[in-house]
């Protein structure tokens, strides 16, 4: 069992930056692939970024590529999402997710565990 807790969300002006953190419980964090997803009101949950268990492989949605960076610290059982050059269309609830896999996973239905979500609001 893995429990995930997101933090770092908030309100920011367009062009600003935020860093989301996702702290995981459990001693096998390093064996999990991690992902970030987001869901805006009235829309489906969409993939944002993912990272392999070692951190060596990352993958991004086209909409955030070049602006967002996913990283992880296995010693701290934490995955991060650095978000730069934020746009109003980035406004959503951001969720982190974990899957017992050594590969990068981009499909939400493949993830085993989810956090409660963190609200990110970007004002224009």
């Amino acid at each position: 069992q893995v429990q995930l807790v997101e933090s770092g969300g908030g309100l920011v002006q367009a062009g600003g930056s935020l860093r989301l953190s996702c702290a995981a419980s459990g001693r096998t964090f390093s064996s999990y692939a991690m992902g970030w997803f987001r869901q805006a009101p009235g829309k489906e949950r969409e993939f944002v970024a993912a990272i392999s268990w070692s951190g060596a492989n990352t993958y991004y949605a086209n909409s955030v590529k070049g602006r967002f960076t996913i990283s992880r610290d296995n010693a701290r059982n934490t995955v991060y999402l650095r978000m730069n050059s934020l746009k109003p269309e980035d406004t959503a609830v951001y969720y982190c997710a974990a899957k017992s896999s050594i590969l990068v996973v981009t499909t939400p239905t493949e993830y085993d565990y989810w956090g409660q979500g963190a609200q990110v609001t970007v004002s224009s």
Side-chain angles (χ1 to χ4, degrees):
Q1 190 76 9
V2 175
Q3 291 185 324
L4 305 172
V5 179
E6 298 98 335
S7 61
L11 173 64
V12 64
Q13 288 188 332
S17 299
L18 282 175
R19 189 181 77 162
L20 300 179
S21 300
C22 175
S25 65
R27 293 174 290 180
T28 59
F29 175 74
S30 60
S31 66
Y32 283 81
M34 301 296 295
W36 286 97
F37 294 80
R38 66 187 182 186
Q39 188 165 17
K43 295 187 177 181
E44 294 186 352
R45 190 168 298 189
E46 65 173 357
F47 168 74
V48 175
I51 189 167
S52 60
W53 68 276
S54 66
N57 300 104
T58 57
Y59 192 76
Y60 298 92
N62 287 335
S63 59
V64 306
K65 199 173 295 183
R67 300 188 297 123
F68 291 12
T69 303
I70 188 171
S71 61
R72 67 189 296 162
D73 184 341
N74 286 343
R76 296 178 182 270
N77 281 12
T78 302
V79 63
Y80 304 96
L81 185 68
R82 177 68 180 182
M83 305 182 291
N84 295 329
S85 302
L86 282 161
K87 305 174 182 180
E89 51 263 43
D90 294 318
T91 295
V93 177
Y94 283 71
Y95 299 89
C96 71
K99 175 176 175 60
S100 181
S101 170
I102 63 172
L103 302 175
V104 172
V105 181
T106 64
T107 306
T109 55
E110 294 191 44
Y111 279 84
D112 303 312
Y113 303 101
W114 291 84
Q116 83 288 351
Q119 177 69 48
V120 171
T121 303
V122 184
S123 63
S124 57

